[in-house]
Amino acid sequence: MTGPVTTIRVPIEGIDQLTLAGVNDANLVELAKISGTRVALRGDSLTVTGDPDTAMRGEAIALGMVASVREGHSLSPDDVLRLSLEQRPEDQAARASGALVLPGAKRVVKAKTPGQAEYMKEILEHDIVVGIGPAGTGKTYLAVAAAVDALMRKRVRRIVLARPAVEAGENLGFLPGDMQAKVDPYLRPLYDALDDLMPFDRIQKAIESRTIEVAPLAFMRGRTLGDAFVILDEAQNATHLQMKMFLTRLGVNSKIVITGDKTQVDLPKREESGLMQIERILHGIEGIKFHYFTEADVVRHRLVRDIIRAYNEDAAGG
């Protein structure tokens, strides 16, 4: 460490030092790593040492850690990382613009179209949001980002991601492996979204501890999903009975986001799509919001927008 060195003392009288430090001092190690300071816990104070700028940054994070423990919250290295992000001016500006700043994410998650911005706002303000629209509009990605943000900010205790696996019954019998191996390909897009929003090791730990669960829709039967952020993706392939079952899983302090594309229904002709049914019968219920994406919200390759427009024109002409 070259140049002037500053040591700042943060008082910690009256708080649980074990909670503050974490298991094997993991929280202090994280604080030192992300602030670029030396950290020590001695007596009734936490000291951070570094050049003036890094010491002040370390102090700001340490004060947030102390305040969190004083309020009775648990504290993990993920929480320390989140507190550090809240101190950065660029991240404060991002949050002020409605963007999501996720600890360890590869990028800040922000709306790229007015429709996406409205969708993100609706997810914050409603208990059930139904996002309907074509491929490439960010329906699933933004919902998963909102779920990870809610988990990191401890607004919920877990995330449940579900998808109908329309072939996950008799037609999958010839595939090798157990049932999980058979349905994993249908859940891969949800894993892909998580991979882009959280470091791999944290995803693995969260799945092992069941803080994050990715499962076929059929596995939701008989459960109550409380204190959770629940996403049903590809909902156009849920039957009306499955959709009713899913919606009635909603527990206390939970939020549901349902996403789907009405032009890509894979159900047998005789089966009514649960997405189509709720669009017909749930409009007007307070707390439920329907959001409609258009081709203007497509954020994939420009050709995706052109392809969607061509299909729409063909359907209208036919």
Side-chain angles (χ1 to χ4, degrees):
M1 195 175 292
T2 60
V5 175
T6 300
T7 297
I8 300 176
R9 175 182 172 274
V10 177
I12 58 172
E13 294 94 343
I15 72 167
D16 184 342
Q17 294 190 16
L18 181 58
T19 301
L20 179 68
V23 178
N24 296 324
D25 292 338
N27 297 339
L28 303 184
V29 171
E30 185 73 10
L31 170 59
K33 178 176 138 185
I34 59 184
S35 64
T37 62
R38 292 196 304 269
V39 177
L41 191 60
R42 295 193 183 93
D44 286 337
S45 67
L46 174 66
T47 61
V48 291
T49 302
D51 64 60
D53 287 341
T54 58
M56 287 179 64
R57 175 167 162 74
E59 178 194 26
I61 301 167
L63 286 170
M65 293 167 62
V66 171
S68 182
V69 175
R70 208 178 286 284
E71 290 168 5
H73 301 303
S74 60
L75 195 66
S76 69
D78 280 351
D79 296 321
V80 178
L81 179 57
R82 174 178 53 80
L83 288 167
S84 76
L85 294 177
E86 291 177 353
Q87 306 301 325
R88 298 196 308 186
E90 63 269 31
D91 291 334
Q92 292 173 349
R95 280 193 302 277
S97 69
L100 300 179
V101 182
L102 306 175
K106 298 171 187 174
R107 63 179 66 89
V108 171
V109 179
K110 57 185 177 181
K112 295 182 179 179
T113 70
Q116 288 189 345
E118 184 63 22
Y119 179 59
M120 293 172 72
K121 181 172 179 286
E122 289 165 352
I123 289 175
L124 281 174
E125 295 176 352
H126 296 81
D127 288 336
I128 297 178
V129 173
V130 184
I132 298 174
T137 52
K139 301 184 300 293
T140 302
Y141 187 84
L142 293 176
V144 174
V148 172
D149 183 64
L151 181 67
M152 293 298 179
R153 296 181 186 282
K154 299 192 174 181
R155 293 175 183 150
V156 297
R157 294 178 58 191
R158 57 181 170 154
I159 296 172
V160 179
L161 308 176
R163 254 190 171 209
V166 291
E167 298 92 345
E170 298 172 351
N171 292 340
L172 285 183
F174 67 91
L175 291 178
D178 58 14
M179 179 56 73
Q180 191 62 47
K182 294 176 191 293
V183 300
D184 267 353
Y186 299 93
L187 305 175
R188 176 47 50 191
L190 296 172
Y191 286 112
D192 289 344
L194 283 174
D195 286 344
D196 205 41
L197 295 165
M198 294 177 70
F200 179 75
D201 59 332
R202 288 187 179 133
I203 295 173
Q204 291 298 106
K205 289 177 184 176
I207 290 175
E208 288 170 7
S209 66
R210 301 186 70 80
T211 301
I212 296 178
E213 180 180 355
V214 185
L217 174 59
F219 289 15
M220 299 296 106
R221 189 173 302 279
R223 302 176 58 186
T224 299
L225 301 174
D227 207 11
F229 196 119
V230 190
I231 298 172
L232 174 59
D233 191 36
E234 296 288 338
Q236 74 276 2
N237 289 327
T239 68
H240 67 285
L241 289 176
Q242 287 176 325
M243 183 64 78
K244 181 181 178 183
M245 176 273 291
F246 174 76
L247 286 169
T248 53
R249 301 306 94 200
L250 183 66
V252 176
N253 190 41
S254 288
K255 185 183 292 286
I256 282 178
V257 177
I258 297 168
T259 67
D261 180 350
K262 294 189 294 182
T263 68
Q264 297 194 38
V265 178
D266 296 323
L267 292 169
K269 297 288 186 187
R270 65 181 182 277
E271 287 275 10
E272 181 184 17
S273 166
L275 181 64
M276 310 285 202
Q277 185 187 46
I278 63 170
E279 186 184 22
R280 190 175 71 247
I281 68 176
L282 297 186
H283 270 292
I285 296 179
E286 186 175 354
I288 300 178
K289 181 68 177 180
F290 284 80
H291 181 91
Y292 293 91
F293 292 91
T294 69
E295 62 186 45
D297 295 306
V298 173
V299 292
R300 289 183 187 164
H301 194 288
R302 64 171 184 81
L303 285 175
V304 174
R305 184 182 294 110
D306 296 337
I307 290 166
I308 291 168
R309 184 182 298 118
Y311 271 98
N312 289 341
E313 289 172 354
D314 182 69

